[in-house]
Amino acid sequence: MNKISDAVISRLPRYYRYLDELRQQNVERVSSEELSRLMHVTASQIRQDFNNFGGFGQQGYGYNVQSLYEEIGKLLGLDTNHSMVIVGAGNLGRAIANYGNFKNRGFDIVALFDQNPALVGMKVGDAEVRDIETLYDFVKENKVEIVALTLPKEPATEIAEKLIDCGVKAFWNFAHTDLSFSDDIIVENVHLSESLMKLTYRLFENQKQQKNEE
Amino acid sequence: MNKISDAVISRLPRYYRYLDELRQQNVERVSSEELSRLMHVTASQIRQDFNNFGGFGQQGYGYNVQSLYEEIGKLLGLDTNHSMVIVGAGNLGRAIANYGNFKNRGFDIVALFDQNPALVGMKVGDAEVRDIETLYDFVKENKVEIVALTLPKEPATEIAEKLIDCGVKAFWNFAHTDLSFSDDIIVENVHLSESLMKLTYRLFENQKQQKNEE
């Protein structure tokens, strides 16, 4: 299979979400035109995206919702279980641990870690907050592959490097810095404030436009 | 000014963040090549992006860090104050309210709202959790332009529509659904689980590749 572009990969989870909704509404088949209307993207974009993965079946008759949902889930690695720990048990870490949907998608949050003794021992969802001192041994013993970093930027790089030595393969990074390691280590940097700035950019553009029209 | 592409707009906050770091390190000038190395994007991409906004000054001598930071901040609408409320005072809403950096960037979180009486009255950062019944009057009286929605998907659309009637112009939406209204209403949808799925896609691709190489 050719290397798939990052833009296409970014759209897969969105297809997955819409197909999940259709599936829950007992819709059996969906055409690219119907998906197009629902998702506000063009039907040709959808067909092009799907062609990267062999097209997912007969286009003329539309797609089978359940099997398309499962195929995309497999592509996203959601048919296997992933164990994940969260480093940083503040509000953001706890928000993620409490998010029930992750479990349905095969993400098993096995523990949270924090340096704050007041948080250690607290139950969050099905997981417990543990002392950050025990993080590295825990990750090795439990063969944890994915770590969510919900902590300040200062310690993030050092902690991530130590975790790589313990076998961690992927970081979901919310610390306010871009982490980047060798190619075999996956990093997904989430910068919440940057999405808010995109919003204010567009808000500001709209306001300028309205002033021009007045 | 021509309409700027969404891809360019998405990169502006990232430039802003790197320039802020350079500024804090008292770096006075930076070339597109130096920015390129720091940010892992090509220098020609940077120059192209900046050309959308007139180029931001002499390229041969590099850019003045402080003035480039300010110019991009202005583009992002960060030189004016924005008042924002958060609807949903669960962990995610509180995480956002507690995030100190927003205040430095001109985002003034004036209140949180929740339907849970146990949360009403709680102080989060500088703001207080209020009864969701009082949301619409508050928004009208305080001319709130931006609302962060950190609540389940079911009530999100209805609440957003009522808020538009009260004058809200922009939504930072964390509910697990794509909100979309008329062109004059800005929506930035943040789907946290989708970024996690992108991560597992790439993790899974790496694992397949390693197996092929073995």
Side-chain angles (χ1 to χ4, degrees):
Chain A
M1 201 187 284
N2 293 323
K3 183 123 176 97
I4 311 292
S5 81
D6 199 51
V8 176
I9 299 168
S10 298
R11 286 191 288 269
L12 284 180
R14 194 156 175 262
Y15 289 122
Y16 189 74
R17 176 158 52 87
Y18 277 87
L19 288 163
D20 191 22
E21 284 182 12
L22 290 171
R23 200 178 63 103
Q24 286 177 28
Q25 291 158 22
N26 297 313
V27 176
E28 282 185 22
R29 298 193 79 81
V30 67
S31 66
S32 45
E33 286 73 19
E34 287 162 323
L35 262 183
S36 156
R37 273 192 301 276
L38 275 175
M39 297 182 62
H40 303 281
V41 291
T42 66
S44 86
Q45 163 98 83
I46 293 174
R47 287 191 295 263
Q48 265 180 44
D49 283 352
F50 288 2
N51 280 339
N52 283 297
F53 308 99
F56 299 123
Q58 283 287 24
Q59 183 207 304
Y61 297 89
Y63 302 96
N64 178 302
V65 171
Q66 179 66 31
S67 67
L68 184 53
Y69 170 79
E70 286 170 15
E71 288 288 328
I72 293 178
K74 264 186 225 167
L75 285 172
L76 292 170
L78 301 179
D79 57 337
T80 47
N81 266 41
H82 300 281
S83 71
M84 177 160 89
V85 303
I86 298 171
V87 183
N91 281 307
L92 186 58
R94 279 181 271 159
I96 290 171
N98 272 320
Y99 189 68
N101 252 358
F102 288 146
K103 195 154 192 182
N104 303 336
R105 302 266 152 99
F107 296 102
D108 201 5
I109 295 167
V110 288
L112 296 88
F113 292 87
D114 207 286
Q115 61 175 7
N116 180 353
L119 295 176
V120 173
M122 183 194 246
K123 271 276 200 183
V124 187
D126 295 333
E128 195 183 312
V129 181
R130 294 163 183 261
D131 188 331
I132 198 155
E133 295 289 322
T134 66
L135 170 63
Y136 307 104
D137 285 339
F138 184 96
V139 162
K140 270 188 267 185
E141 278 162 29
N142 293 277
K143 296 191 169 48
V144 174
E145 282 190 318
I146 305 176
V147 174
L149 297 169
T150 51
L151 74 181
K153 74 172 174 182
E154 289 74 15
T157 308
E158 194 190 325
I159 290 176
E161 282 168 355
K162 283 192 201 164
L163 285 167
I164 292 169
D165 292 339
C166 299
V168 169
K169 296 287 179 217
F171 294 97
W172 195 24
N173 174 42
F174 291 82
H176 200 51
T177 185
D178 289 334
L179 295 180
S180 167
F181 304 104
S182 59
D183 277 354
D184 58 330
I185 305 297
I186 308 294
V187 181
E188 183 73 20
N189 293 301
V190 183
H191 293 296
L192 291 181
S193 60
E194 295 186 8
S195 88
L196 183 57
M197 288 184 205
K198 264 176 74 181
L199 181 150
T200 53
Y201 175 90
R202 293 194 288 150
L203 183 63
F204 192 46
E205 285 297 299
N206 265 8
Q207 286 167 345
K208 281 191 281 188
Q209 209 182 323
Q210 272 160 17
K211 271 191 199 143
N212 286 341
E213 283 166 7
E214 275 166 20
Chain B
M1 201 186 283
N2 293 323
K3 182 121 176 95
I4 311 292
S5 81
D6 199 51
V8 176
I9 298 168
S10 298
R11 287 192 288 269
L12 284 181
R14 193 156 176 263
Y15 288 122
Y16 189 73
R17 177 159 51 87
Y18 276 88
L19 288 163
D20 191 21
E21 284 182 13
L22 289 171
R23 199 179 64 104
Q24 286 178 27
Q25 292 157 21
N26 298 312
V27 176
E28 282 184 22
R29 297 193 80 80
V30 67
S31 67
S32 44
E33 287 73 19
E34 287 161 325
L35 262 183
S36 158
R37 273 192 300 276
L38 276 175
M39 296 182 62
H40 302 282
V41 290
T42 65
S44 86
Q45 164 98 82
I46 294 173
R47 287 190 295 263
Q48 265 180 44
D49 284 352
F50 289 2
N51 280 339
N52 283 296
F53 308 99
F56 298 124
Q58 284 286 23
Q59 183 207 303
Y61 297 90
Y63 302 97
N64 179 301
V65 170
Q66 179 66 31
S67 67
L68 185 54
Y69 170 80
E70 286 170 15
E71 288 286 329
I72 293 178
K74 264 185 224 167
L75 285 171
L76 292 168
L78 302 178
D79 58 337
T80 48
N81 267 41
H82 299 281
S83 70
M84 176 159 90
V85 303
I86 297 172
V87 182
N91 281 308
L92 186 58
R94 279 181 270 158
I96 289 171
N98 272 321
Y99 189 67
N101 252 0
F102 288 146
K103 195 154 191 182
N104 303 336
R105 302 267 152 99
F107 296 102
D108 201 4
I109 294 165
V110 288
L112 296 88
F113 292 87
D114 207 286
Q115 61 175 5
N116 180 354
L119 295 176
V120 173
M122 183 194 247
K123 270 278 200 181
V124 186
D126 295 332
E128 195 182 313
V129 181
R130 292 163 184 261
D131 188 332
I132 198 156
E133 295 289 321
T134 66
L135 171 63
Y136 307 104
D137 285 339
F138 184 95
V139 161
K140 270 188 267 185
E141 277 162 29
N142 294 277
K143 297 190 168 51
V144 174
E145 283 190 317
I146 304 176
V147 174
L149 296 170
T150 52
L151 75 181
K153 75 172 174 182
E154 288 75 15
T157 307
E158 195 190 325
I159 290 176
E161 282 168 355
K162 282 193 202 162
L163 285 167
I164 292 170
D165 291 339
C166 298
V168 169
K169 296 287 178 216
F171 294 97
W172 195 24
N173 174 42
F174 291 82
H176 201 50
T177 187
D178 289 333
L179 295 179
S180 168
F181 305 103
S182 59
D183 278 354
D184 58 331
I185 305 298
I186 307 294
V187 181
E188 183 73 21
N189 293 302
V190 183
H191 293 296
L192 291 181
S193 60
E194 296 187 7
S195 88
L196 183 57
M197 288 184 207
K198 265 175 74 181
L199 181 149
T200 53
Y201 174 91
R202 293 194 288 150
L203 182 63
F204 191 46
E205 285 296 298
N206 265 7
Q207 285 166 347
K208 281 191 281 188
Q209 209 181 323
Q210 272 160 17
K211 270 190 199 141
N212 286 342
E213 283 168 7
E214 274 166 22

